[in-house]
Amino acid sequence: QVRFVESGGGLVQPGGSLRLSCVASRSISRIYWIAWFRQATGTQRELVASINDSGRINYGGSVKGRFTISRHNAEDTVYLQMTNLEPGDTAVYYCHEYLPLTPISDYNAWGQGTQVTVSP
């Protein structure tokens, strides 16, 4: 099973930007959907953005227009460009293969994630 290593998080002020990266343990060229997820303290993990191998993209409603997901198969890397960050974006962000018919709670092999904190 593919595993991802996430990086790029940090502390940023509201309105700021960050670019997250996740590098896969093997080639991602044949992985249909890959997504970024996030989990804030005391909440369930939620889907932020997903991208398939043809470049089709979906965003969660709260990040649409502010976040951009991209995948670079040659680098086995997926990015999440985040702009106009809000305190509500504070969470640990994870990368994972996205299985639309499987509850997120049933996913395994999560990486360590990368912490994003948005605060004045």
Side-chain angles (χ1 to χ4, degrees), residues 37-40 44-46 48 62-63 67 88-89 91-93:
F37 300 82
R38 69 185 181 186
Q39 186 170 23
Q44 293 186 341
R45 202 163 296 180
E46 65 173 355
V48 175
S62 65
V63 307
F67 290 11
D89 297 317
V92 179
Y93 284 71

Side-chain angles (χ1 to χ4, degrees), residues 6-120:
E6 302 89 351
S7 63
L11 173 63
V12 63
Q13 293 185 343
S17 300
L18 282 173
R19 188 193 195 204
L20 306 184
S21 304
C22 72
V23 180
S25 59
R26 62 168 176 82
S27 173
I28 64 171
S29 62
R30 295 189 177 184
I31 299 176
Y32 186 29
W33 284 96
I34 299 174
W36 282 96
F37 300 82
R38 69 185 181 186
Q39 186 170 23
T41 302
T43 70
Q44 293 186 341
R45 202 163 296 180
E46 65 173 355
L47 177 65
V48 175
S50 58
I51 184 168
N52 75 4
D53 58 351
S54 297
R56 180 179 174 184
I57 292 172
N58 293 306
Y59 293 103
S62 65
V63 307
K64 196 172 296 184
R66 300 188 297 121
F67 290 11
T68 303
I69 188 172
S70 62
R71 65 188 282 173
H72 298 259
N73 289 348
E75 301 169 3
D76 298 324
T77 301
V78 181
Y79 298 98
L80 186 68
Q81 178 68 49
M82 307 186 295
T83 63
N84 196 19
L85 284 160
E86 305 168 351
D89 297 317
T90 295
V92 179
Y93 284 71
Y94 303 87
C95 212
H96 200 283
E97 180 178 4
Y98 177 44
L99 307 168
L101 300 181
T102 302
I104 296 172
S105 58
D106 288 346
Y107 290 13
N108 55 23
W110 291 96
Q112 65 182 11
T114 186
Q115 174 71 48
V116 172
T117 303
V118 184
S119 179

